[in-house]
PDB file of all heavy atoms in Angstrom:
ATOM      1  N   LEU A1444      -2.714 -16.493  22.131  1.00 54.00           N
ATOM      2  CA  LEU A1444      -2.199 -17.530  21.234  1.00 54.00           C
ATOM      3  C   LEU A1444      -0.696 -17.730  21.411  1.00 54.00           C
ATOM      4  O   LEU A1444      -0.203 -18.848  21.304  1.00 54.00           O
ATOM      5  CB  LEU A1444      -2.525 -17.194  19.773  1.00 54.00           C
ATOM      6  CG  LEU A1444      -3.983 -17.327  19.383  1.00 54.00           C
ATOM      7  CD1 LEU A1444      -4.195 -16.822  17.967  1.00 54.00           C
ATOM      8  CD2 LEU A1444      -4.458 -18.760  19.512  1.00 54.00           C
ATOM      9  N   ASN A1445       0.017 -16.653  21.685  1.00 56.00           N
ATOM     10  CA  ASN A1445       1.463 -16.765  21.885  1.00 56.00           C
ATOM     11  C   ASN A1445       1.812 -17.637  23.082  1.00 56.00           C
ATOM     12  O   ASN A1445       2.889 -18.230  23.129  1.00 56.00           O
ATOM     13  CB  ASN A1445       2.105 -15.383  22.037  1.00 56.00           C
ATOM     14  CG  ASN A1445       2.242 -14.688  20.701  1.00 56.00           C
ATOM     15  OD1 ASN A1445       2.269 -15.339  19.661  1.00 56.00           O
ATOM     16  ND2 ASN A1445       2.327 -13.372  20.735  1.00 56.00           N
ATOM     17  N   LEU A1446       0.913 -17.741  24.059  1.00 56.00           N
ATOM     18  CA  LEU A1446       1.162 -18.615  25.203  1.00 56.00           C
ATOM     19  C   LEU A1446       1.256 -20.077  24.779  1.00 56.00           C
ATOM     20  O   LEU A1446       1.940 -20.877  25.407  1.00 56.00           O
ATOM     21  CB  LEU A1446       0.042 -18.463  26.241  1.00 56.00           C
ATOM     22  CG  LEU A1446      -0.029 -17.127  26.967  1.00 56.00           C
ATOM     23  CD1 LEU A1446      -1.271 -17.095  27.861  1.00 56.00           C
ATOM     24  CD2 LEU A1446       1.234 -16.899  27.795  1.00 56.00           C
ATOM     25  N   PHE A1447       0.549 -20.423  23.701  1.00 54.00           N
ATOM     26  CA  PHE A1447       0.480 -21.814  23.266  1.00 54.00           C
ATOM     27  C   PHE A1447       1.386 -22.129  22.089  1.00 54.00           C
ATOM     28  O   PHE A1447       1.468 -23.268  21.661  1.00 54.00           O
ATOM     29  CB  PHE A1447      -0.965 -22.171  22.887  1.00 54.00           C
ATOM     30  CG  PHE A1447      -1.915 -21.998  24.022  1.00 54.00           C
ATOM     31  CD1 PHE A1447      -2.747 -20.890  24.092  1.00 54.00           C
ATOM     32  CD2 PHE A1447      -1.960 -22.925  25.047  1.00 54.00           C
ATOM     33  CE1 PHE A1447      -3.621 -20.711  25.153  1.00 54.00           C
ATOM     34  CE2 PHE A1447      -2.832 -22.765  26.121  1.00 54.00           C
ATOM     35  CZ  PHE A1447      -3.659 -21.662  26.173  1.00 54.00           C
ATOM     36  N   THR A1448       2.046 -21.138  21.528  1.00 49.00           N
ATOM     37  CA  THR A1448       2.821 -21.364  20.311  1.00 49.00           C
ATOM     38  C   THR A1448       4.277 -20.941  20.439  1.00 49.00           C
ATOM     39  O   THR A1448       4.858 -20.421  19.516  1.00 49.00           O
ATOM     40  CB  THR A1448       2.188 -20.611  19.119  1.00 49.00           C
ATOM     41  OG1 THR A1448       2.165 -19.226  19.439  1.00 49.00           O
ATOM     42  CG2 THR A1448       0.803 -21.124  18.800  1.00 49.00           C
ATOM     43  N   ASN A1449       4.870 -21.167  21.601  1.00 45.00           N
ATOM     44  CA  ASN A1449       6.247 -20.725  21.766  1.00 45.00           C
ATOM     45  C   ASN A1449       7.272 -21.810  21.452  1.00 45.00           C
ATOM     46  O   ASN A1449       8.433 -21.663  21.756  1.00 45.00           O
ATOM     47  CB  ASN A1449       6.468 -20.158  23.173  1.00 45.00           C
ATOM     48  CG  ASN A1449       6.154 -21.166  24.262  1.00 45.00           C
ATOM     49  OD1 ASN A1449       5.787 -22.289  23.965  1.00 45.00           O
ATOM     50  ND2 ASN A1449       6.281 -20.745  25.500  1.00 45.00           N
ATOM     51  N   GLU A1450       6.838 -22.903  20.864  1.00 49.00           N
ATOM     52  CA  GLU A1450       7.782 -23.917  20.394  1.00 49.00           C
ATOM     53  C   GLU A1450       7.257 -24.536  19.115  1.00 49.00           C
ATOM     54  O   GLU A1450       6.067 -24.468  18.822  1.00 49.00           O
ATOM     55  CB  GLU A1450       8.015 -24.994  21.453  1.00 49.00           C
ATOM     56  CG  GLU A1450       6.777 -25.799  21.809  1.00 49.00           C
ATOM     57  CD  GLU A1450       7.073 -26.823  22.884  1.00 49.00           C
ATOM     58  OE1 GLU A1450       7.435 -26.427  24.007  1.00 49.00           O
ATOM     59  OE2 GLU A1450       6.946 -28.011  22.575  1.00 49.00           O
ATOM     60  N   ILE A1451       8.157 -25.124  18.344  1.00 48.00           N
ATOM     61  CA  ILE A1451       7.783 -25.728  17.064  1.00 48.00           C
ATOM     62  C   ILE A1451       7.931 -27.237  17.170  1.00 48.00           C
ATOM     63  O   ILE A1451       8.976 -27.741  17.585  1.00 48.00           O
ATOM     64  CB  ILE A1451       8.675 -25.199  15.923  1.00 48.00           C
ATOM     65  CG1 ILE A1451       8.445 -23.700  15.744  1.00 48.00           C
ATOM     66  CG2 ILE A1451       8.410 -25.947  14.627  1.00 48.00           C
ATOM     67  CD1 ILE A1451       9.359 -23.064  14.732  1.00 48.00           C
ATOM     68  N   ASP A1452       6.896 -27.961  16.803  1.00 50.00           N
ATOM     69  CA  ASP A1452       6.944 -29.417  16.731  1.00 50.00           C
ATOM     70  C   ASP A1452       7.527 -29.765  15.363  1.00 50.00           C
ATOM     71  O   ASP A1452       6.868 -29.617  14.336  1.00 50.00           O
ATOM     72  CB  ASP A1452       5.531 -29.978  16.882  1.00 50.00           C
ATOM     73  CG  ASP A1452       5.487 -31.494  16.813  1.00 50.00           C
ATOM     74  OD1 ASP A1452       6.432 -32.108  16.263  1.00 50.00           O
ATOM     75  OD2 ASP A1452       4.506 -32.065  17.295  1.00 50.00           O
ATOM     76  N   VAL A1453       8.787 -30.223  15.333  1.00 51.00           N
ATOM     77  CA  VAL A1453       9.494 -30.468  14.080  1.00 51.00           C
ATOM     78  C   VAL A1453       8.782 -31.499  13.227  1.00 51.00           C
ATOM     79  O   VAL A1453       8.656 -31.339  12.015  1.00 51.00           O
ATOM     80  CB  VAL A1453      10.963 -30.884  14.355  1.00 51.00           C
ATOM     81  CG1 VAL A1453      11.657 -31.274  13.060  1.00 51.00           C
ATOM     82  CG2 VAL A1453      11.706 -29.768  15.060  1.00 51.00           C
ATOM     83  N   ASP A1454       8.258 -32.571  13.830  1.00 56.00           N
ATOM     84  CA  ASP A1454       7.563 -33.598  13.048  1.00 56.00           C
ATOM     85  C   ASP A1454       6.313 -33.023  12.392  1.00 56.00           C
ATOM     86  O   ASP A1454       6.042 -33.273  11.217  1.00 56.00           O
ATOM     87  CB  ASP A1454       7.187 -34.796  13.935  1.00 56.00           C
ATOM     88  CG  ASP A1454       8.408 -35.572  14.392  1.00 56.00           C
ATOM     89  OD1 ASP A1454       9.416 -35.584  13.640  1.00 56.00           O
ATOM     90  OD2 ASP A1454       8.362 -36.139  15.495  1.00 56.00           O
ATOM     91  N   ARG A1455       5.555 -32.243  13.144  1.00 56.00           N
ATOM     92  CA  ARG A1455       4.345 -31.639  12.588  1.00 56.00           C
ATOM     93  C   ARG A1455       4.700 -30.619  11.513  1.00 56.00           C
ATOM     94  O   ARG A1455       4.092 -30.568  10.450  1.00 56.00           O
ATOM     95  CB  ARG A1455       3.551 -30.986  13.708  1.00 56.00           C
ATOM     96  CG  ARG A1455       2.241 -30.432  13.242  1.00 56.00           C
ATOM     97  CD  ARG A1455       1.399 -29.986  14.419  1.00 56.00           C
ATOM     98  NE  ARG A1455       0.406 -29.062  13.909  1.00 56.00           N
ATOM     99  CZ  ARG A1455      -0.033 -28.011  14.545  1.00 56.00           C
ATOM    100  NH1 ARG A1455       0.389 -27.751  15.739  1.00 56.00           N
ATOM    101  NH2 ARG A1455      -0.915 -27.225  13.999  1.00 56.00           N
ATOM    102  N   PHE A1456       5.706 -29.796  11.776  1.00 50.00           N
ATOM    103  CA  PHE A1456       6.122 -28.786  10.814  1.00 50.00           C
ATOM    104  C   PHE A1456       6.580 -29.415   9.509  1.00 50.00           C
ATOM    105  O   PHE A1456       6.193 -28.984   8.434  1.00 50.00           O
ATOM    106  CB  PHE A1456       7.249 -27.920  11.405  1.00 50.00           C
ATOM    107  CG  PHE A1456       7.808 -26.919  10.427  1.00 50.00           C
ATOM    108  CD1 PHE A1456       7.096 -25.778  10.115  1.00 50.00           C
ATOM    109  CD2 PHE A1456       9.031 -27.128   9.824  1.00 50.00           C
ATOM    110  CE1 PHE A1456       7.602 -24.853   9.208  1.00 50.00           C
ATOM    111  CE2 PHE A1456       9.549 -26.211   8.925  1.00 50.00           C
ATOM    112  CZ  PHE A1456       8.830 -25.072   8.619  1.00 50.00           C
ATOM    113  N   SER A1457       7.397 -30.456   9.581  1.00 54.00           N
ATOM    114  CA  SER A1457       7.951 -31.053   8.363  1.00 54.00           C
ATOM    115  C   SER A1457       6.898 -31.771   7.529  1.00 54.00           C
ATOM    116  O   SER A1457       7.136 -32.077   6.372  1.00 54.00           O
ATOM    117  CB  SER A1457       9.111 -31.991   8.695  1.00 54.00           C
ATOM    118  OG  SER A1457       8.657 -33.054   9.499  1.00 54.00           O
ATOM    119  N   SER A1458       5.718 -32.025   8.099  1.00 60.00           N
ATOM    120  CA  SER A1458       4.659 -32.666   7.311  1.00 60.00           C
ATOM    121  C   SER A1458       3.775 -31.649   6.588  1.00 60.00           C
ATOM    122  O   SER A1458       2.945 -32.023   5.769  1.00 60.00           O
ATOM    123  CB  SER A1458       3.795 -33.548   8.219  1.00 60.00           C
ATOM    124  OG  SER A1458       3.071 -32.754   9.138  1.00 60.00           O
ATOM    125  N   MET A1459       3.951 -30.359   6.882  1.00 56.00           N
ATOM    126  CA  MET A1459       3.138 -29.321   6.242  1.00 56.00           C
ATOM    127  C   MET A1459       3.592 -29.113   4.795  1.00 56.00           C
ATOM    128  O   MET A1459       4.769 -29.227   4.489  1.00 56.00           O
ATOM    129  CB  MET A1459       3.259 -28.013   7.016  1.00 56.00           C
ATOM    130  CG  MET A1459       2.680 -28.071   8.400  1.00 56.00           C
ATOM    131  SD  MET A1459       2.951 -26.479   9.221  1.00 56.00           S
ATOM    132  CE  MET A1459       2.179 -26.807  10.777  1.00 56.00           C
ATOM    133  N   ALA A1460       2.638 -28.781   3.923  1.00 57.00           N
ATOM    134  CA  ALA A1460       2.933 -28.612   2.491  1.00 57.00           C
ATOM    135  C   ALA A1460       3.995 -27.544   2.246  1.00 57.00           C
ATOM    136  O   ALA A1460       4.893 -27.727   1.424  1.00 57.00           O
ATOM    137  CB  ALA A1460       1.654 -28.277   1.731  1.00 57.00           C
ATOM    138  N   ASP A1461       3.916 -26.411   2.965  1.00 54.00           N
ATOM    139  CA  ASP A1461       4.907 -25.350   2.775  1.00 54.00           C
ATOM    140  C   ASP A1461       6.298 -25.825   3.149  1.00 54.00           C
ATOM    141  O   ASP A1461       7.275 -25.529   2.469  1.00 54.00           O
ATOM    142  CB  ASP A1461       4.561 -24.121   3.609  1.00 54.00           C
ATOM    143  CG  ASP A1461       3.350 -23.375   3.075  1.00 54.00           C
ATOM    144  OD1 ASP A1461       2.970 -23.633   1.922  1.00 54.00           O
ATOM    145  OD2 ASP A1461       2.808 -22.545   3.803  1.00 54.00           O
ATOM    146  N   ALA A1462       6.389 -26.569   4.250  1.00 54.00           N
ATOM    147  CA  ALA A1462       7.691 -27.076   4.682  1.00 54.00           C
ATOM    148  C   ALA A1462       8.221 -28.096   3.674  1.00 54.00           C
ATOM    149  O   ALA A1462       9.419 -28.127   3.392  1.00 54.00           O
ATOM    150  CB  ALA A1462       7.588 -27.693   6.068  1.00 54.00           C
ATOM    151  N   GLN A1463       7.340 -28.916   3.124  1.00 57.00           N
ATOM    152  CA  GLN A1463       7.765 -29.905   2.132  1.00 57.00           C
ATOM    153  C   GLN A1463       8.363 -29.232   0.903  1.00 57.00           C
ATOM    154  O   GLN A1463       9.338 -29.700   0.341  1.00 57.00           O
ATOM    155  CB  GLN A1463       6.590 -30.810   1.723  1.00 57.00           C
ATOM    156  CG  GLN A1463       6.260 -31.861   2.759  1.00 57.00           C
ATOM    157  CD  GLN A1463       7.426 -32.794   2.987  1.00 57.00           C
ATOM    158  OE1 GLN A1463       8.048 -33.293   2.064  1.00 57.00           O
ATOM    159  NE2 GLN A1463       7.740 -33.030   4.256  1.00 57.00           N
ATOM    160  N   ALA A1464       7.774 -28.098   0.492  1.00 59.00           N
ATOM    161  CA  ALA A1464       8.318 -27.370  -0.668  1.00 59.00           C
ATOM    162  C   ALA A1464       9.745 -26.906  -0.383  1.00 59.00           C
ATOM    163  O   ALA A1464      10.611 -26.980  -1.250  1.00 59.00           O
ATOM    164  CB  ALA A1464       7.428 -26.164  -0.995  1.00 59.00           C
ATOM    165  N   ILE A1465       9.997 -26.451   0.842  1.00 56.00           N
ATOM    166  CA  ILE A1465      11.344 -26.008   1.215  1.00 56.00           C
ATOM    167  C   ILE A1465      12.292 -27.199   1.302  1.00 56.00           C
ATOM    168  O   ILE A1465      13.421 -27.148   0.823  1.00 56.00           O
ATOM    169  CB  ILE A1465      11.300 -25.241   2.546  1.00 56.00           C
ATOM    170  CG1 ILE A1465      10.466 -23.965   2.405  1.00 56.00           C
ATOM    171  CG2 ILE A1465      12.713 -24.919   3.037  1.00 56.00           C
ATOM    172  CD1 ILE A1465      10.139 -23.292   3.715  1.00 56.00           C
ATOM    173  N   ILE A1466      11.837 -28.281   1.918  1.00 59.00           N
ATOM    174  CA  ILE A1466      12.672 -29.481   2.094  1.00 59.00           C
ATOM    175  C   ILE A1466      13.027 -30.090   0.735  1.00 59.00           C
ATOM    176  O   ILE A1466      14.163 -30.464   0.497  1.00 59.00           O
ATOM    177  CB  ILE A1466      11.942 -30.513   2.994  1.00 59.00           C
ATOM    178  CG1 ILE A1466      11.848 -29.956   4.428  1.00 59.00           C
ATOM    179  CG2 ILE A1466      12.668 -31.857   2.964  1.00 59.00           C
ATOM    180  CD1 ILE A1466      10.890 -30.715   5.326  1.00 59.00           C
ATOM    181  N   ASN A1467      12.032 -30.159  -0.158  1.00 66.00           N
ATOM    182  CA  ASN A1467      12.266 -30.774  -1.468  1.00 66.00           C
ATOM    183  C   ASN A1467      13.123 -29.926  -2.395  1.00 66.00           C
ATOM    184  O   ASN A1467      13.797 -30.459  -3.253  1.00 66.00           O
ATOM    185  CB  ASN A1467      10.923 -31.080  -2.155  1.00 66.00           C
ATOM    186  CG  ASN A1467      10.152 -32.159  -1.429  1.00 66.00           C
ATOM    187  OD1 ASN A1467      10.724 -32.970  -0.702  1.00 66.00           O
ATOM    188  ND2 ASN A1467       8.853 -32.170  -1.597  1.00 66.00           N
ATOM    189  N   ASN A1468      13.080 -28.602  -2.265  1.00 63.00           N
ATOM    190  CA  ASN A1468      13.860 -27.726  -3.113  1.00 63.00           C
ATOM    191  C   ASN A1468      14.385 -26.562  -2.293  1.00 63.00           C
ATOM    192  O   ASN A1468      13.887 -25.448  -2.399  1.00 63.00           O
ATOM    193  CB  ASN A1468      13.031 -27.231  -4.295  1.00 63.00           C
ATOM    194  CG  ASN A1468      13.886 -26.495  -5.310  1.00 63.00           C
ATOM    195  OD1 ASN A1468      15.107 -26.369  -5.162  1.00 63.00           O
ATOM    196  ND2 ASN A1468      13.253 -25.976  -6.345  1.00 63.00           N
TER     197      ASN A1468
END
Side-chain angles (χ1 to χ4, degrees):
L1444 289 174
N1445 283 337
L1446 292 175
F1447 300 102
T1448 59
N1449 58 1
E1450 63 181 63
I1451 296 175
D1452 180 339
V1453 174
D1454 291 330
R1455 184 171 160 216
F1456 175 75
S1457 62
S1458 67
M1459 294 178 179
D1461 289 345
Q1463 283 299 313
I1465 297 168
I1466 292 167
N1467 293 337
N1468 189 2

